[in-house]
Amino acid sequence: KKGLEKAKQGITDRIDEVLKSYTSVDEELFEDLEEVLITADVGVNTTMEIIEQLEDRVRRKKITDPMLVRDELKSIVREILSNGECKLDVEPSPCIIVMVGVNGVGKTTTIGKLASRYKSEGKKVMLAAADTFRAAATEQLDIWAKRTGTDIVKHQEGADPGAVVFDAIKAAKARHVDVLICDTAGRLHNKANLMNELGKIFKIINREFPEAKREVLLVVDATTGQNAVVQAKTFKEVADITGIALTKLDGTAKGGVVLAVKSEVDVPVKLIGVGERVEDLQDFDADSFTDALFG
Ligand code: GDP
């Protein structure tokens, strides 16, 4: 699959190198595989879990050919990725998607990609610029609104994010919007602050838009490796995250972070970003992801 070449190089090509260098299955083989997984940012816990399962299966099936170990590894990866799999679903209309995540992870870009996706499906889309802390955030979102031909509700820099959401909901109702996508400020340096800010936004949504289907998407950057896992765990403590969008998977050999996020954070990965263009956003699919990695 397009965009995952680097992840393939970083994980499977290296796994294959290891497997080819062995003529029989022994303890050292598993140690080498373990090292590949950790280097590819699968995370220590998840790696241990995978290797343990792998050793167990190889023993049970009495596998002696290293190349057959590959099939077992592939099926373990597929199982981890399929566990709790679910897609981003904006039906029934109206739906409000609240986007959270720290700055620089690709939040604005993902909003733009989603706006474009739903527009092309014939849905009425609106953006709410509720990251009022940075003027640049609203400007960036504005560019995406123009590019995708989407309505946007914005206030001035420093305005109350809750007021932006309030106005956006009012406008969305008046214009019969199907999908309202809210940007939020991603200042993680102070957890209490973040919780407070997001809390105010959710309170307004609860009060003003209870009929809307709600998605809370956390955007994390795959190139930050284990940081993505840490961010996911932190955001999960402050908001009811319904899904994760993992961006920039095209730019990293450490695509193993998908596995770490899947097995260490109990929230489904719903979207993956594999480039900067609007079409570079995919629904996460465990089978096609596994096939893209292992061929
Ligand atoms: P924000 O601060 O979280 O809103 O981040 P932006 O949306 O502004 O994105 C930061 C940078 O990452 C921009 O240069 C984007 O083009 C880039 N970016 C976002 N998503 C992806 C992706 O999936 N792949 C690649 N290669 N770049 C991305």
Side-chain angles (χ1 to χ4, degrees):
K1 209 165 182 179
K2 213 187 96 295
L4 297 174
E5 295 86 0
K6 278 197 185 166
K8 186 177 180 303
Q9 283 165 19
I11 306 174
T12 358
D13 290 359
R14 296 195 46 223
I15 286 171
D16 288 342
E17 266 170 45
V18 167
L19 294 174
K20 275 182 204 140
S21 69
Y22 282 85
T23 49
S24 64
V25 177
D26 59 39
E27 188 59 34
E28 254 176 80
L29 168 65
F30 292 108
E31 279 169 23
D32 283 355
L33 290 177
E34 187 177 303
E35 198 190 314
V36 171
L37 295 180
I38 288 176
T39 315
D41 253 325
V42 172
V44 176
N45 295 341
T46 313
T47 298
M48 294 305 174
E49 207 183 298
I50 292 172
I51 296 296
E52 220 168 89
Q53 273 195 51
L54 187 63
E55 283 182 302
D56 190 51
R57 287 189 199 193
V58 166
R59 207 177 306 121
R60 261 191 300 121
K61 295 190 179 176
K62 301 190 169 59
I63 291 170
T64 52
D65 177 356
M67 287 321 281
L68 294 178
V69 173
R70 192 184 198 276
D71 299 333
E72 298 306 319
L73 185 56
K74 181 177 177 180
S75 85
I76 292 169
V77 166
R78 188 192 303 273
E79 279 163 30
I80 292 176
L81 294 178
S82 315
N83 184 25
E85 187 177 20
C86 78
K87 305 250 177 297
L88 180 65
D89 183 11
V90 295
E91 307 279 352
S93 163
C95 176
I96 182 165
I97 307 177
V98 181
M99 305 289 289
V100 301
V102 303
N103 296 334
V105 292
K107 197 154 34 113
T108 317
T109 309
T110 306
I111 294 172
K113 289 171 174 175
L114 283 174
S116 166
R117 168 194 285 202
Y118 296 126
K119 280 279 288 193
S120 69
E121 288 176 6
K123 293 184 167 67
K124 213 159 185 271
V125 183
M126 182 181 279
L127 307 182
D131 179 356
T132 56
F133 290 93
R134 298 177 305 151
T138 298
E139 282 161 24
Q140 283 295 316
L141 203 64
D142 218 11
I143 292 170
W144 276 106
K146 290 204 174 77
R147 196 180 289 168
T148 55
T150 309
D151 285 347
I152 180 169
V153 172
K154 57 186 177 182
H155 287 191
Q156 278 178 344
E157 187 182 356
D160 174 14
V164 177
V165 174
F166 182 89
D167 284 354
I169 291 172
K170 235 171 58 181
K173 284 181 181 173
R175 295 178 219 171
H176 304 287
V177 160
D178 298 303
V179 186
L180 173 60
I181 310 175
C182 294
D183 191 13
T184 63
R187 301 182 307 161
L188 200 55
H189 61 263
N190 182 336
K191 211 158 111 183
N193 225 344
L194 180 74
M195 196 183 307
N196 191 19
E197 275 164 31
L198 291 176
K200 277 191 218 157
I201 288 176
F202 288 119
K203 213 160 127 187
I204 287 165
I205 297 171
N206 287 340
R207 199 180 62 213
E208 305 297 328
F209 215 16
E211 69 274 30
K213 177 177 196 291
R214 192 185 309 177
E215 286 280 351
V216 183
L217 272 189
L218 170 67
V219 184
V220 291
D221 176 346
T223 65
T224 64
Q226 292 304 304
N227 264 336
V229 179
V230 173
Q231 283 168 20
K233 286 180 176 168
T234 310
F235 270 92
K236 212 185 143 208
E237 287 170 26
V238 302
D240 294 322
I241 309 294
T242 61
I244 290 173
L246 193 60
T247 62
K248 309 187 198 178
L249 261 174
D250 55 306
T252 178
K254 303 192 168 213
V257 69
V258 182
L259 282 158
V261 168
K262 279 294 288 203
S263 70
E264 292 183 41
V265 189
D266 191 23
V267 176
V269 174
K270 292 191 176 176
L271 299 167
I272 54 173
V274 291
E276 295 183 276
R277 300 165 311 160
V278 285
E279 57 271 36
D280 296 328
L281 183 73
Q282 303 171 359
D283 284 319
F284 178 74
D285 178 78
D287 283 334
S288 49
F289 191 86
T290 310
D291 290 340
L293 276 191
F294 285 85

